[in-house]
Amino acid sequence: MELVSAKLYIVPTPIGNLGDITLRALEVLKQVDVICAEDTRHTGRLLSHYEIKSKTMSVHDHNERARVDTIVAKLANGESIALVSDAGTPLISDPGYHLVNGVRAAGFEVVPLPGACAAITALSAAGLPTDRFCFEGFLPSKSAARMAQMKNLQTEERTMVFYESPRRICYTVKEMIEIFGPDRHIVLAREVTKAFETIHGDKASDLLLWLESDSNNQRGEMVVMVAGYKSDSDEISPEVVDALKLLATELPLKKAAGLVAKLYEQKKNALYKLGLELGL
Ligand code: SAM
């Protein structure tokens, strides 16, 4: 049965386990005239596993804008096109935005297929609230920009979902302790759907100890999910943490903790302990 026509199909591919691709995705990939792939060699391995022989064309961050006209011309010529990325759902921290935008602007249909996405897969097993969440993708790589972005999320009440690289995971969790406090619950999902899948959640300071206790815990692909801010919890608010950090630059920690405790009606000991954990 003919499943495709002159449209752009957005096709998710597995995020590790080759079995995680839908029957419809395989059929669409088999039938389209051209598969646009981020890395044609990488996608080639998936295609040969499933004996799919469709033509491929590279569409990645560096050539995507230039490819839009070519792909629109193909659609106008009656050809059907699929877009895949290296893994998971295209456009989700992956190329495709300019292409989808351009194709829609040219009046052609874009057909989304459901399928694997690391953020959603990880979130479904994290045990954090999922009624409201925000996807933050990758934080900036430079520390100052990363901290600034996290600061904007200090009182975000929704569960926050980040992608992170193994190289930076320890720095990022350290920074999260500074911004969100040591007691904020964080769940790390690494190598989801693969042999070494690990989903580990703890308060931020203990998660860092767990990461540092075994370098294997820092390996592979990972999703970091941070519980949202609760204004009515025992958690020390970001405003109080900021005040403590500021005063501790001028005063011994004990004095700073005492003053902040008085100003914000907090427990001095809890603030002192937090100061030690933050290395103030
Ligand atoms: N488009 C993809 C999706 O739908 O999830 C995401 C692509 S993004 C370039 C790659 C990042 O996704 C990785 O650095 C990691 O943060 C996350 N990721 C991808 N596969 C994963 C997996 N199997 N387990 C955990 N995280 C994964």
Side-chain angles (χ1 to χ4, degrees):
M1 191 183 73
E2 186 74 2
L3 201 69
V4 298
S5 52
K7 297 174 184 170
L8 174 64
Y9 296 84
I10 309 300
V11 183
T13 52
I15 55 168
N17 184 325
L18 277 186
D20 293 330
I21 186 158
T22 68
L23 297 174
R24 183 172 166 224
L26 291 174
E27 207 45 51
V28 166
L29 291 177
K30 251 177 219 163
Q31 290 190 19
V32 286
D33 295 301
V34 181
I35 299 173
C36 297
E38 202 181 348
D39 175 344
T40 49
R41 273 209 306 192
H42 179 96
T43 296
R45 288 194 281 274
L46 176 80
L47 299 181
S48 70
H49 179 84
Y50 284 107
E51 296 176 3
I52 294 169
K53 299 195 169 60
S54 310
K55 255 199 311 193
T56 58
M57 171 201 263
S58 79
V59 172
H60 46 67
D61 275 334
H62 306 291
N63 71 0
E64 186 187 340
R65 285 168 199 247
R67 286 278 201 238
V68 174
D69 288 348
T70 314
I71 290 163
V72 166
K74 284 183 179 295
L75 290 166
N77 197 34
E79 292 181 51
S80 51
I81 316 274
L83 174 69
V84 300
S85 59
D86 283 353
T89 302
L91 281 87
I92 306 301
S93 292
D94 264 338
Y97 159 69
H98 297 289
L99 180 60
V100 169
N101 194 267
V103 164
R104 285 178 61 84
F108 291 96
E109 263 183 70
V110 179
V111 181
L113 271 67
C117 172
I120 299 296
T121 310
L123 192 60
S124 70
L128 291 170
T130 50
D131 49 344
R132 293 173 71 224
F133 63 87
C134 57
F135 175 63
E136 289 291 319
F138 287 100
L139 286 160
S141 55
K142 295 222 165 77
S143 179
R146 199 163 60 231
M147 291 288 270
Q149 193 148 322
M150 278 197 256
K151 220 156 187 279
N152 284 335
L153 296 167
Q154 231 169 13
T155 53
E156 172 58 65
E157 293 180 353
R158 295 170 294 179
T159 298
M160 292 162 269
V161 184
F162 300 90
Y163 284 162
E164 190 48 288
S165 87
R167 266 182 308 117
R168 276 198 297 263
I169 185 63
C170 286
Y171 295 110
T172 299
V173 174
K174 274 184 200 153
E175 289 166 349
M176 285 177 166
I177 292 175
E178 265 194 56
I179 304 275
F180 301 124
D183 292 332
R184 188 70 72 91
H185 198 75
I186 301 183
V187 181
L188 188 135
R190 60 178 280 272
E191 296 291 89
V192 174
T193 77
K194 304 186 205 176
F196 295 105
E197 176 179 281
T198 314
I199 300 178
H200 184 84
D202 213 328
K203 62 180 211 165
S205 53
D206 288 344
L207 184 79
L208 181 61
L209 294 177
W210 175 81
L211 279 167
E212 289 174 342
S213 71
D214 182 350
S215 61
N216 284 324
N217 295 340
Q218 303 165 26
R219 293 224 170 100
E221 298 196 281
M222 47 189 73
V223 181
V224 181
M225 291 156 288
V226 181
Y229 172 65
K230 286 197 189 78
S231 53
D232 57 349
S233 75
D234 289 342
E235 198 176 294
I236 298 167
S237 80
E239 196 188 353
V240 174
V241 178
D242 281 350
L244 182 66
K245 282 204 277 196
L246 187 69
L247 286 187
T249 59
E250 302 290 335
L251 298 169
L253 180 58
K254 244 188 195 148
K255 268 222 160 101
L259 277 176
V260 175
K262 267 194 195 140
L263 276 171
Y264 291 93
E265 295 177 10
Q266 299 271 322
K267 289 194 185 109
K268 181 179 166 185
N269 281 349
L271 291 178
Y272 181 67
K273 188 168 161 265
L274 171 64
L276 292 178
E277 282 173 342
L278 293 179
L280 301 178

